[in-house]
mmCIF file of all heavy atoms in Angstrom:
data_model
loop_
_atom_site.group_PDB
_atom_site.id
_atom_site.type_symbol
_atom_site.label_atom_id
_atom_site.label_comp_id
_atom_site.label_asym_id
_atom_site.label_seq_id
_atom_site.Cartn_x
_atom_site.Cartn_y
_atom_site.Cartn_z
ATOM 1 N N THR A 240 -1.582 1.362 -17.176
ATOM 2 C CA THR A 240 -1.359 1.724 -18.602
ATOM 3 C C THR A 240 -1.878 3.147 -18.858
ATOM 4 O O THR A 240 -3.066 3.400 -18.623
ATOM 5 C CB THR A 240 -2.087 0.742 -19.532
ATOM 6 O OG1 THR A 240 -3.447 0.628 -19.148
ATOM 7 C CG2 THR A 240 -1.442 -0.665 -19.432
ATOM 8 N N HIS A 241 -1.026 3.938 -19.261
ATOM 9 C CA HIS A 241 -1.300 5.329 -19.717
ATOM 10 C C HIS A 241 -1.698 6.255 -18.554
ATOM 11 O O HIS A 241 -0.951 7.175 -18.214
ATOM 12 C CB HIS A 241 -2.326 5.396 -20.817
ATOM 13 C CG HIS A 241 -2.422 6.809 -21.406
ATOM 14 N ND1 HIS A 241 -1.439 7.350 -22.152
ATOM 15 C CD2 HIS A 241 -3.412 7.740 -21.355
ATOM 16 C CE1 HIS A 241 -1.810 8.571 -22.521
ATOM 17 N NE2 HIS A 241 -2.978 8.847 -22.013
ATOM 18 N N VAL A 242 -2.883 6.015 -17.928
ATOM 19 C CA VAL A 242 -3.361 6.938 -16.911
ATOM 20 C C VAL A 242 -2.391 7.069 -15.751
ATOM 21 O O VAL A 242 -1.967 8.174 -15.379
ATOM 22 C CB VAL A 242 -4.750 6.508 -16.433
ATOM 23 C CG1 VAL A 242 -5.167 7.362 -15.218
ATOM 24 C CG2 VAL A 242 -5.779 6.720 -17.522
ATOM 25 N N MET A 243 -2.036 5.906 -15.150
ATOM 26 C CA MET A 243 -1.107 6.013 -14.013
ATOM 27 C C MET A 243 0.305 6.502 -14.356
ATOM 28 O O MET A 243 0.813 7.392 -13.703
ATOM 29 C CB MET A 243 -1.026 4.609 -13.341
ATOM 30 C CG MET A 243 -0.239 4.625 -11.999
ATOM 31 S SD MET A 243 1.549 4.526 -12.214
ATOM 32 C CE MET A 243 1.721 2.769 -12.687
ATOM 33 N N PRO A 244 0.927 5.945 -15.418
ATOM 34 C CA PRO A 244 2.274 6.492 -15.745
ATOM 35 C C PRO A 244 2.241 7.985 -16.076
ATOM 36 O O PRO A 244 3.145 8.726 -15.705
ATOM 37 C CB PRO A 244 2.685 5.652 -16.980
ATOM 38 C CG PRO A 244 1.902 4.422 -16.847
ATOM 39 C CD PRO A 244 0.606 4.787 -16.265
ATOM 40 N N MET A 245 1.197 8.441 -16.806
ATOM 41 C CA MET A 245 1.182 9.862 -17.151
ATOM 42 C C MET A 245 0.870 10.709 -15.932
ATOM 43 O O MET A 245 1.416 11.860 -15.834
ATOM 44 C CB MET A 245 0.099 10.101 -18.220
ATOM 45 C CG MET A 245 0.440 9.471 -19.610
ATOM 46 S SD MET A 245 2.110 9.861 -20.181
ATOM 47 C CE MET A 245 1.995 11.650 -20.251
ATOM 48 N N ALA A 246 0.124 10.205 -14.937
ATOM 49 C CA ALA A 246 -0.114 10.923 -13.731
ATOM 50 C C ALA A 246 1.227 11.048 -12.959
ATOM 51 O O ALA A 246 1.506 12.078 -12.382
ATOM 52 C CB ALA A 246 -1.144 10.276 -12.901
ATOM 53 N N VAL A 247 2.028 10.002 -12.934
ATOM 54 C CA VAL A 247 3.343 10.035 -12.300
ATOM 55 C C VAL A 247 4.236 11.026 -13.009
ATOM 56 O O VAL A 247 4.936 11.890 -12.354
ATOM 57 C CB VAL A 247 3.983 8.657 -12.290
ATOM 58 C CG1 VAL A 247 5.459 8.753 -11.778
ATOM 59 C CG2 VAL A 247 3.186 7.688 -11.405
ATOM 60 N N VAL A 248 4.224 11.055 -14.336
ATOM 61 C CA VAL A 248 5.025 12.061 -15.071
ATOM 62 C C VAL A 248 4.549 13.482 -14.729
ATOM 63 O O VAL A 248 5.428 14.358 -14.452
ATOM 64 C CB VAL A 248 4.827 11.837 -16.611
ATOM 65 C CG1 VAL A 248 5.397 13.036 -17.412
ATOM 66 C CG2 VAL A 248 5.517 10.538 -17.030
ATOM 67 N N ASP A 249 3.288 13.703 -14.627
ATOM 68 C CA ASP A 249 2.756 15.017 -14.243
ATOM 69 C C ASP A 249 3.209 15.392 -12.829
ATOM 70 O O ASP A 249 3.709 16.539 -12.616
ATOM 71 C CB ASP A 249 1.202 15.034 -14.260
ATOM 72 C CG ASP A 249 0.641 14.873 -15.653
ATOM 73 O OD1 ASP A 249 1.426 15.021 -16.645
ATOM 74 O OD2 ASP A 249 -0.507 14.506 -15.768
ATOM 75 N N ALA A 250 3.096 14.493 -11.878
ATOM 76 C CA ALA A 250 3.410 14.772 -10.467
ATOM 77 C C ALA A 250 4.897 15.019 -10.275
ATOM 78 O O ALA A 250 5.302 16.035 -9.632
ATOM 79 C CB ALA A 250 3.013 13.627 -9.542
ATOM 80 N N VAL A 251 5.753 14.213 -10.907
ATOM 81 C CA VAL A 251 7.202 14.370 -10.764
ATOM 82 C C VAL A 251 7.624 15.605 -11.501
ATOM 83 O O VAL A 251 8.580 16.281 -11.136
ATOM 84 C CB VAL A 251 7.936 13.101 -11.245
ATOM 85 C CG1 VAL A 251 9.436 13.309 -11.305
ATOM 86 C CG2 VAL A 251 7.589 11.939 -10.385
ATOM 87 N N GLY A 252 6.997 15.915 -12.653
ATOM 88 C CA GLY A 252 7.345 17.115 -13.391
ATOM 89 C C GLY A 252 7.094 18.434 -12.558
ATOM 90 O O GLY A 252 7.886 19.370 -12.643
ATOM 91 N N ARG A 253 6.046 18.388 -11.799
ATOM 92 C CA ARG A 253 5.699 19.541 -10.937
ATOM 93 C C ARG A 253 6.507 19.516 -9.647
ATOM 94 O O ARG A 253 6.789 20.614 -9.078
ATOM 95 C CB ARG A 253 4.212 19.535 -10.618
ATOM 96 C CG ARG A 253 3.335 19.728 -11.833
ATOM 97 C CD ARG A 253 1.861 19.534 -11.497
ATOM 98 N NE ARG A 253 1.054 19.463 -12.718
ATOM 99 C CZ ARG A 253 -0.228 19.102 -12.707
ATOM 100 N NH1 ARG A 253 -0.864 18.831 -11.600
ATOM 101 N NH2 ARG A 253 -0.901 19.116 -13.867
ATOM 102 N N HIS A 254 6.852 18.343 -9.202
ATOM 103 C CA HIS A 254 7.563 18.213 -7.856
ATOM 104 C C HIS A 254 8.752 17.285 -8.097
ATOM 105 O O HIS A 254 8.672 16.123 -7.820
ATOM 106 C CB HIS A 254 6.585 17.671 -6.808
ATOM 107 C CG HIS A 254 5.281 18.367 -6.770
ATOM 108 N ND1 HIS A 254 5.134 19.629 -6.271
ATOM 109 C CD2 HIS A 254 4.023 17.972 -7.167
ATOM 110 C CE1 HIS A 254 3.872 20.003 -6.314
ATOM 111 N NE2 HIS A 254 3.168 19.064 -6.911
ATOM 112 N N PRO A 255 9.845 17.822 -8.547
ATOM 113 C CA PRO A 255 11.023 16.962 -8.914
ATOM 114 C C PRO A 255 11.585 16.154 -7.784
ATOM 115 O O PRO A 255 12.280 15.147 -7.999
ATOM 116 C CB PRO A 255 12.023 17.963 -9.394
ATOM 117 C CG PRO A 255 11.245 19.167 -9.822
ATOM 118 C CD PRO A 255 10.093 19.246 -8.907
ATOM 119 N N GLU A 256 11.320 16.564 -6.525
ATOM 120 C CA GLU A 256 11.906 15.821 -5.403
ATOM 121 C C GLU A 256 10.951 14.712 -4.915
ATOM 122 O O GLU A 256 11.210 13.986 -3.899
ATOM 123 C CB GLU A 256 12.161 16.756 -4.236
ATOM 124 C CG GLU A 256 13.272 17.770 -4.527
ATOM 125 C CD GLU A 256 13.663 18.569 -3.333
ATOM 126 O OE1 GLU A 256 14.471 18.098 -2.514
ATOM 127 O OE2 GLU A 256 13.185 19.700 -3.220
ATOM 128 N N LEU A 257 9.883 14.460 -5.666
ATOM 129 C CA LEU A 257 8.958 13.405 -5.359
ATOM 130 C C LEU A 257 9.637 12.077 -5.794
ATOM 131 O O LEU A 257 10.268 12.002 -6.826
ATOM 132 C CB LEU A 257 7.664 13.596 -6.113
ATOM 133 C CG LEU A 257 6.348 13.037 -5.522
ATOM 134 C CD1 LEU A 257 6.091 13.647 -4.169
ATOM 135 C CD2 LEU A 257 5.182 13.395 -6.483
ATOM 136 N N CYS A 258 9.371 11.024 -5.015
ATOM 137 C CA CYS A 258 9.808 9.649 -5.404
ATOM 138 C C CYS A 258 8.584 8.762 -5.375
ATOM 139 O O CYS A 258 7.901 8.667 -4.342
ATOM 140 C CB CYS A 258 10.887 9.110 -4.482
ATOM 141 S SG CYS A 258 11.385 7.408 -4.860
ATOM 142 N N VAL A 259 8.317 8.136 -6.493
ATOM 143 C CA VAL A 259 7.107 7.225 -6.606
ATOM 144 C C VAL A 259 7.611 5.798 -6.734
ATOM 145 O O VAL A 259 8.396 5.466 -7.625
ATOM 146 C CB VAL A 259 6.216 7.640 -7.791
ATOM 147 C CG1 VAL A 259 5.019 6.672 -7.892
ATOM 148 C CG2 VAL A 259 5.766 9.061 -7.705
ATOM 149 N N THR A 260 7.083 4.959 -5.837
ATOM 150 C CA THR A 260 7.417 3.523 -5.869
ATOM 151 C C THR A 260 6.122 2.796 -6.278
ATOM 152 O O THR A 260 5.048 2.982 -5.701
ATOM 153 C CB THR A 260 7.819 3.000 -4.545
ATOM 154 O OG1 THR A 260 9.072 3.619 -4.151
ATOM 155 C CG2 THR A 260 8.052 1.485 -4.577
ATOM 156 N N THR A 261 6.204 1.986 -7.329
ATOM 157 C CA THR A 261 5.015 1.244 -7.791
ATOM 158 C C THR A 261 5.070 -0.222 -7.361
ATOM 159 O O THR A 261 6.189 -0.780 -7.361
ATOM 160 C CB THR A 261 4.841 1.331 -9.355
ATOM 161 O OG1 THR A 261 5.913 0.637 -9.980
ATOM 162 C CG2 THR A 261 4.771 2.795 -9.764
ATOM 163 N N VAL A 262 3.984 -0.747 -7.023
ATOM 164 C CA VAL A 262 3.886 -2.170 -6.564
ATOM 165 C C VAL A 262 2.866 -2.832 -7.428
ATOM 166 O O VAL A 262 1.716 -2.373 -7.534
ATOM 167 C CB VAL A 262 3.491 -2.243 -5.089
ATOM 168 C CG1 VAL A 262 3.548 -3.722 -4.654
ATOM 169 C CG2 VAL A 262 4.355 -1.385 -4.201
ATOM 170 N N GLU A 263 3.229 -3.941 -8.008
ATOM 171 C CA GLU A 263 2.314 -4.759 -8.838
ATOM 172 C C GLU A 263 1.843 -5.966 -8.036
ATOM 173 O O GLU A 263 2.646 -6.526 -7.296
ATOM 174 C CB GLU A 263 2.941 -5.161 -10.144
ATOM 175 C CG GLU A 263 3.369 -3.999 -11.034
ATOM 176 C CD GLU A 263 4.103 -4.512 -12.273
ATOM 177 O OE1 GLU A 263 4.288 -5.672 -12.399
ATOM 178 O OE2 GLU A 263 4.438 -3.657 -13.124
ATOM 179 N N GLY A 264 0.604 -6.378 -8.262
ATOM 180 C CA GLY A 264 0.129 -7.544 -7.603
ATOM 181 C C GLY A 264 -1.356 -7.733 -7.832
ATOM 182 O O GLY A 264 -1.979 -6.928 -8.523
#
Side-chain angles (χ1 to χ4, degrees):
T240 53
H241 189 69
V242 170
M243 187 278 287
M245 293 310 299
V247 172
V248 169
D249 295 342
V251 174
R253 295 172 190 170
H254 311 288
E256 294 187 83
L257 209 60
C258 176
V259 179
T260 296
T261 65
V262 186
E263 298 177 356

